[in-house]
Amino acid sequence: MQQDKVFTGHGWVALLLFVVLLLDGVLSQTFGQWFMRPGFTSVPQLTLITLIELALLLPVEKYTVPIAAVTGLIYDSFYTGLLGVNALLWPLLIYCVVQARPAIPRKFLMIFFITVITLTVYSLANYVINLFLGYGTSNMVYLLARHLGPSLLVNAGLFFISYLPLRRILLNLKESMH
């Protein structure tokens, strides 16, 4: 039985996540006038999209969930006023994606659907946590119509823009270990 090679591109993954984390903030700051309107708010989640693609396109390994936890903690400390929400939600979501990975074909449409489902669960879970902590409103219509819909639209656009470059980078990382 042939041994699988161990993935050794952790430094490149960390660099990629750091760049995407900064790009997430730049997108929010630059396009905030269009993303954050009185009628709706949409939050770009390019970092979470990248973590989902990492979980699906790179070889399975034990560091995927801890990387998501550390990235979530860094994201919380940079961009949110509530430390720990993304550090909790992102590893849980990435763990679920990793567990479902054997049943997911690595095709564009399937990765897109998994990303949309994960982003939807993330938005709803984030809403519930914020509501529990007293930082949200209890109006579900507002959440669906004015936050979840626009956020999914913006993130679907970000997915379409970033999918090919991220896929190429991740496949190059995967191939470089052989």
Side-chain angles (χ1 to χ4, degrees):
M1 185 163 135
Q2 184 180 3
Q3 290 283 350
D4 288 335
K5 292 203 175 200
V6 177
F7 180 70
T8 58
H10 297 100
W12 292 110
V13 168
L15 180 63
L16 174 68
L17 284 171
F18 183 70
V19 168
V20 169
L21 191 75
L22 293 177
L23 188 58
D24 225 352
V26 168
L27 285 172
S28 293
Q29 184 67 27
T30 304
F31 298 111
Q33 60 187 352
W34 294 291
F35 290 166
M36 307 291 181
R37 306 286 295 179
F40 65 90
T41 59
S42 58
V43 180
Q45 293 290 336
L46 189 59
T47 309
L48 183 56
I49 292 169
T50 303
L51 284 168
I52 295 166
E53 287 191 37
L54 283 171
L56 291 174
L57 297 176
L58 286 182
V60 176
E61 74 157 60
K62 60 184 177 183
Y63 297 116
T64 307
V65 174
I67 287 172
V70 169
T71 306
L73 189 62
I74 293 170
Y75 187 91
D76 280 341
S77 66
F78 278 169
Y79 301 123
T80 65
L82 193 57
L83 196 60
V85 174
N86 291 320
L88 170 71
L89 291 178
W90 287 5
L92 289 174
L93 292 170
I94 297 304
Y95 177 78
C96 292
V97 169
V98 168
Q99 294 304 309
R101 178 187 162 127
I104 301 170
R106 302 311 178 279
K107 304 291 183 200
F108 171 78
L109 206 52
M110 290 304 295
I111 293 175
F112 173 71
F113 288 142
I114 293 298
T115 302
V116 167
I117 290 168
T118 305
L119 289 170
T120 303
V121 171
Y122 167 75
S123 292
L124 293 173
N126 194 6
Y127 172 75
V128 168
I129 288 173
N130 283 323
L131 186 64
F132 178 74
L133 295 174
Y135 291 112
T137 66
S138 60
N139 189 351
M140 188 59 98
V141 173
Y142 177 82
L143 169 73
L144 295 176
R146 296 185 179 204
H147 179 69
L148 186 61
S151 286
L152 286 177
L153 188 62
V154 165
N155 287 312
L158 286 174
F159 176 85
F160 288 127
I161 292 169
S162 68
Y163 176 75
L164 287 177
L166 275 175
R167 180 178 173 86
R168 190 70 252 156
I169 290 169
L170 296 175
L171 290 178
N172 283 343
L173 277 175
K174 185 177 176 181
E175 291 170 5
S176 71
M177 48 181 236
H178 294 308

